[in-house]
Amino acid sequence: VSEIEERSATPQEGLRAIARALGKLGLLGLVGKAEDGGTLETISSRAICLARERFGEISPLADLAFAMQGLGSYAISAGGDAEQRRAWMPQILQGDAVAAYALTEPGAGTDLGAMSTRAERDGDHYVITGDKTFITNADCADVFTLFAVTDPEASRGRVSAFIVPAGTE
């Protein structure tokens, strides 16, 4: 890991290289289910915590790469349909795609009740409007898990997660 960090011109390049290395070693498999190419039948918080403890001793960037791949892909693994999981999970678990997590908003933080980003259906797709801040891996991500309000009147289930490939308008 330290060699990768030393050879990388930028932190983003280092994070990408470390994600690829973790994927090749099969370690990113801990953040996905076996049916999606992961290591275990279900995602184990205990296994993830133990891995993060060790990564934290080795390199903060390795821990960040591991944790953010898990955070950015969890909604895809847990709630995505089979096609979505097939499209993204193998790439994420192999470290070939970097996942980002877009929840936090200016003025709302991570308070889902105060979230103002909206997603409205327009034919066969959604139009998302609003602002996000503190998006993990934003500057090097291939795919974003983005949260937006889809049912503003609901007291529960008002927010949905969207898979947004990088470069999407």
Side-chain angles (χ1 to χ4, degrees):
V1 171
S2 60
E3 286 181 31
I4 292 172
E5 290 182 72
E6 289 171 14
R7 287 190 318 239
S8 300
T10 65
Q12 295 83 1
E13 185 181 296
L15 187 132
R16 233 178 215 298
I18 289 172
R20 277 192 302 275
L22 294 175
K24 285 185 186 3
L25 291 169
L27 296 169
L28 288 177
L30 292 172
V31 302
K33 299 180 284 190
E35 68 184 281
D36 297 328
T39 306
L40 304 171
E41 212 46 49
T42 60
I43 298 172
S44 166
S45 297
R46 183 177 192 181
I48 289 171
C49 287
L50 291 171
R52 288 202 61 204
E53 180 178 24
R54 184 65 183 126
F55 289 136
E57 292 174 14
I58 296 168
S59 160
L61 191 55
D63 179 46
L64 178 69
F66 177 79
M68 293 305 104
Q69 286 295 85
L71 188 60
S73 68
Y74 183 76
I76 299 170
S77 183
D81 63 29
E83 182 180 331
Q84 293 166 328
R85 292 192 325 271
R86 273 193 308 274
W88 288 107
M89 291 306 296
Q91 292 182 68
I92 292 167
L93 299 179
Q94 293 165 13
D96 294 331
V98 172
Y101 187 76
L103 172 68
T104 309
E105 295 186 359
T110 58
D111 178 1
L112 295 178
M115 181 178 288
S116 62
T117 297
R118 296 283 192 262
E120 295 181 8
R121 187 174 283 281
D122 182 14
D124 63 348
H125 64 278
Y126 282 86
V127 174
I128 299 172
T129 56
D131 295 309
K132 296 292 183 182
T133 187
F134 303 121
I135 300 172
T136 61
N137 295 338
D139 51 356
C140 63
D142 298 295
V143 62
F144 295 77
T145 299
L146 181 138
F147 296 84
V149 175
T150 50
D151 188 354
E153 303 305 316
S155 59
R156 297 184 54 106
R158 65 189 291 269
V159 175
S160 298
F162 292 85
I163 301 167
V164 182
T168 300
E169 188 177 324

